[in-house]
Amino acid sequence: MNVLIYRLPRDKSIVTPPSSCTSCGERIRFYDNIPVVSWFFLLGKCRFCKSKISIMYPMIELMTGLLFYYSYYRFGLSWDFALAISLIFIALSAGLADLFTALDTENFECGIIPDSLIVAGLIFGFATSYMAHKSILFPIYGAGVGFLGLFVPAMLYQLIRKREGMGFGDIKLIAVFGAFLGLKSVFFLVFGSALFGAIIGISWQIISGKKDLMIPFGPFISTAALIYLFFGTLMDRLLYGV
Ligand SMILES: [Zn+2]
């Protein structure tokens, strides 16, 4: 997943070259590529050129492992479990790709959510959602309402204000999670992510003193999707009283 997050938005092949150091290009040996563990053995440095390896790598690996384990604990070996781990994979890769590409830009504004992740997300979303709910309407309504419900206001905003309000990638990402989580989740995905984004964005503006700050929205959409995945019943009760 770390490979996808780094390479997909940069239009690099995910197959070749094999995992290699981003500083010296030396190929990473398989025993130096064990999740979480290797980073500690290498003390966070490349074996060859000693340049620093970001702590984000073991953190992402650890977070993925914990979320997968919790899904197994919650759902057992079932289609719900297959749905959960596919959603976690897409949520983390899309959210972090968006965040890291935004960090690369000068004003921290235009993150990229790779289309290949959107397509993979739709395929896995439709497939696992259909198997888990035994209904093809479940993912169709979720993805359809997620997409159209945001596409129309976003287009209107762009027509009136002549600038992009919500990124097109964000809208596609909400449609993907709509396919996984169904119609009822869309409201939470939109307003939950907007709420988290506003809290972080406003705090950041106060701390940094910058105005008119744009922040990538993908990580907040992914956070909302993960919360709904595990606590959807509770969220439904809070939102709809059922
Ligand atoms: Zn190196």
Side-chain angles (χ1 to χ4, degrees):
M1 198 160 69
N2 273 317
V3 171
L4 299 184
I5 294 167
Y6 183 80
R7 293 190 190 176
L8 284 180
R10 291 171 181 79
D11 280 329
K12 289 183 177 170
S13 161
I14 53 170
V15 187
T16 54
S19 296
S20 33
C21 171
T22 51
S23 294
C24 68
E26 188 70 45
R27 186 166 167 182
I28 297 166
R29 307 297 190 263
F30 74 91
Y31 48 81
D32 285 339
N33 212 1
I34 301 160
V36 189
V37 182
S38 289
W39 189 89
F40 285 97
F41 272 110
L42 292 166
L43 302 168
K45 291 188 192 98
C46 169
R47 181 182 290 276
F48 304 98
C49 67
K50 304 289 171 207
S51 63
K52 235 175 136 246
I53 303 167
S54 168
I55 193 162
M56 287 311 291
Y57 287 99
M59 299 274 279
I60 293 166
E61 288 158 0
L62 190 65
M63 195 156 57
T64 312
L66 289 174
L67 286 169
F68 276 24
Y69 179 78
Y70 184 62
S71 304
Y72 179 72
Y73 169 79
R74 279 287 298 273
F75 304 118
L77 268 188
S78 61
W79 279 109
D80 281 322
F81 174 67
L83 186 149
I85 58 172
S86 321
L87 185 150
I88 292 164
F89 191 91
I90 297 294
L92 291 179
S93 352
L96 292 167
D98 196 19
L99 178 64
F100 292 151
T101 45
L103 285 171
D104 274 355
T105 61
E106 210 169 304
N107 300 315
F108 191 56
E109 44 193 21
C110 295
I112 296 168
I113 300 171
D115 270 336
S116 41
L117 282 178
I118 299 290
V119 173
L122 284 174
I123 294 169
F124 279 95
F126 269 81
T128 57
S129 192
Y130 170 72
M131 292 310 289
H133 298 278
K134 300 286 174 273
S135 154
I136 196 64
L137 290 177
F138 187 89
I140 288 178
Y141 285 150
V145 171
F147 186 78
L148 290 176
L150 289 169
F151 183 72
V152 175
M155 279 294 117
L156 286 175
Y157 183 90
Q158 206 163 352
L159 277 176
I160 298 163
R161 297 290 301 272
K162 308 274 182 232
R163 64 175 185 150
E164 198 174 61
M166 191 180 203
F168 197 48
D170 299 328
I171 300 172
K172 287 187 277 188
L173 191 59
I174 288 190
V176 166
F177 292 134
F180 276 107
L181 300 169
L183 179 62
K184 270 191 188 169
S185 74
V186 174
F187 189 78
F188 179 77
L189 291 175
V190 175
F191 289 95
S193 57
L195 182 67
F196 304 145
I199 292 170
I200 300 288
I202 291 167
S203 328
W204 197 328
Q205 284 198 353
I206 293 168
I207 294 166
S208 70
K210 282 181 189 165
K211 275 188 180 166
D212 244 3
L213 207 63
M214 297 264 288
I215 52 169
F217 207 53
F220 302 111
I221 301 171
S222 289
T223 308
L226 289 171
I227 292 174
Y228 196 89
L229 171 69
F230 294 120
F231 307 105
T233 324
L234 179 66
M235 295 304 142
D236 283 347
R237 206 175 301 150
L238 291 173
L239 285 171
Y240 310 109
V242 284

